Amino acid sequence: MNVDNLKENIEIVLRKIENAALRSGRKFQEIKLIAVSKNVEPERINLAYELGLRDFGENRVQELLKKYDAVRREINFHMIGHLQTNKVKYLVDKIRSIHSVDSIKLAREIDKRFGEKNKTIDALIEVHTAKEESKFGLKPDNLEQFLSEAQNLKNIKFIGLMTIGTLTDDEKEIRRCFSTLRKLRDDYSHFKSENIDLRELSMGMTSDFEIAIEEGSTIVRIGTAIFGERKN
Ligand SMILES: *Cc1c(COP(=O)(O)O)cnc(C)c1O
């Protein structure tokens, strides 16, 4: 893919974000784009940076570490994929947020490791809303318990919720996932403490980000529409 392709892809994505926002009476500025750069080489990440993108999402610690020194230092990385507790320590100093906190054990480890370096990290709680069976994401019914156990962690700040919608062509089903997350956020917005203030909704990928924005998404995570199909 050459520069022009990337530039055009980014422009198309931004225009779609703006149109989806306008359609639902929202502002373009309310929605943050995270360009998902998994399987994308550092050179192209830097190119995307030069074309104006600042926030990039990675889903594997190993890959992030491998690319880290080869990309522009100004880039903000976000961990969006499932995170094992034994990998948390490698992320301190390297990322701006974690979107995939799905257990109190992981939350405690993040709190501990960032605390050791006197850092605080923004985090989103991953909630399972999709139809498919998945190992990842809290069940909506377990969110309250999670929050009450997480409210005394000092070095992890919970700013919102994240979900991955059902992979389907059925728009109604996709919408159901995203509106479930929005309702959960609204239901728990009163649950405020020193380190909990749920505002953000990280939802929407290449195939469903416009629906997600219509349902209230504040952060979209888009890979394929920007960088093209991934070769795995
Ligand atoms: C890969 C990935 C994305 C982006 O997927 P695309 O369909 O390429 O836009 C978003 N979120 C998570 C958690 C991912 O792993």
Side-chain angles (χ1 to χ4, degrees), residues 51-169:
L51 292 167
L53 300 187
R54 294 293 174 268
D55 292 276
F56 294 82
E58 289 285 340
N59 70 335
R60 290 175 56 232
V61 174
Q62 214 72 22
E63 187 180 338
L64 170 62
L65 296 178
K66 220 173 107 196
K67 294 195 276 198
Y68 191 77
D69 287 325
V71 302
R72 297 279 300 252
R73 298 190 64 188
E74 298 88 343
I75 281 174
N76 303 323
F77 274 118
H78 305 267
M79 180 48 56
I80 61 170
H82 180 68
L83 181 55
Q84 291 171 287
T85 45
N86 63 351
K87 301 268 172 66
V88 172
K89 55 181 179 286
Y90 303 116
L91 293 178
V92 185
D93 292 330
K94 293 201 167 54
I95 54 166
R96 288 303 185 92
S97 75
I98 302 175
H99 286 227
S100 42
V101 179
D102 63 356
S103 74
I104 193 68
K105 178 169 168 253
L106 176 60
R108 289 197 178 113
E109 175 68 9
I110 295 168
D111 181 63
K112 179 181 152 204
R113 294 296 181 177
F114 282 76
E116 283 170 356
K117 299 262 177 76
N118 279 317
K119 303 268 175 174
T120 301
I121 185 80
D122 285 346
L124 293 90
I125 304 156
E126 181 171 355
V127 179
H128 184 72
T129 59
K131 266 209 182 118
E132 296 111 353
E133 285 294 318
S134 158
K135 297 182 293 247
F136 307 132
L138 280 183
K139 290 200 187 74
D141 284 348
N142 295 336
L143 185 57
E144 180 146 5
Q145 173 75 25
F146 177 92
L147 290 173
S148 56
E149 290 178 357
Q151 64 185 330
N152 45 28
L153 302 176
K154 299 257 181 306
N155 296 83
I156 178 167
K157 219 173 123 206
F158 293 96
I159 61 168
L161 304 177
M162 179 274 225
T163 202
I164 298 172
T166 306
L167 290 170
T168 172
D169 292 332

Side-chain angles (χ1 to χ4, degrees), residues 150-203:
Q151 64 185 330
N152 45 28
L153 302 176
K154 299 257 181 306
N155 296 83
I156 178 167
K157 219 173 123 206
F158 293 96
I159 61 168
L161 304 177
M162 179 274 225
T163 202
I164 298 172
T166 306
L167 290 170
T168 172
D169 292 332
D170 179 0
E171 194 182 310
K172 253 181 69 189
E173 166 57 18
I174 297 168
R175 251 177 227 289
R176 183 196 60 74
C177 295
F178 296 151
S179 68
T180 298
L181 200 72
R182 187 190 63 234
K183 283 185 203 123
L184 276 174
R185 193 259 332 254
D186 294 346
D187 287 349
Y188 286 96
S189 58
H190 70 277
F191 200 115
K192 286 205 175 68
S193 71
E194 285 280 313
N195 70 328
I196 300 174
D197 185 4
L198 303 179
R199 287 166 283 111
E200 306 295 335
L201 291 173
S202 170
M203 54 191 201

Side-chain angles (χ1 to χ4, degrees), residues 204-220:
M205 325 195 336
T206 292
S207 61
D208 56 18
F209 72 90
E210 291 167 277
I211 301 171
I213 290 168
E214 289 169 11
E215 296 299 326
S217 173
T218 64
I219 307 172
V220 289

Side-chain angles (χ1 to χ4, degrees), residues 22-76:
L22 292 177
R23 265 203 307 282
S24 37
R26 307 181 58 208
K27 292 199 188 76
F28 175 65
Q29 292 82 353
E30 290 172 24
I31 296 141
K32 175 166 161 163
L33 168 63
I34 292 183
V36 177
S37 50
K38 62 188 186 203
N39 292 22
V40 177
E41 310 87 72
E43 297 71 36
R44 282 171 66 215
I45 298 177
N46 286 332
L47 207 52
Y49 175 88
E50 278 156 35
L51 292 167
L53 300 187
R54 294 293 174 268
D55 292 276
F56 294 82
E58 289 285 340
N59 70 335
R60 290 175 56 232
V61 174
Q62 214 72 22
E63 187 180 338
L64 170 62
L65 296 178
K66 220 173 107 196
K67 294 195 276 198
Y68 191 77
D69 287 325
V71 302
R72 297 279 300 252
R73 298 190 64 188
E74 298 88 343
I75 281 174
N76 303 323

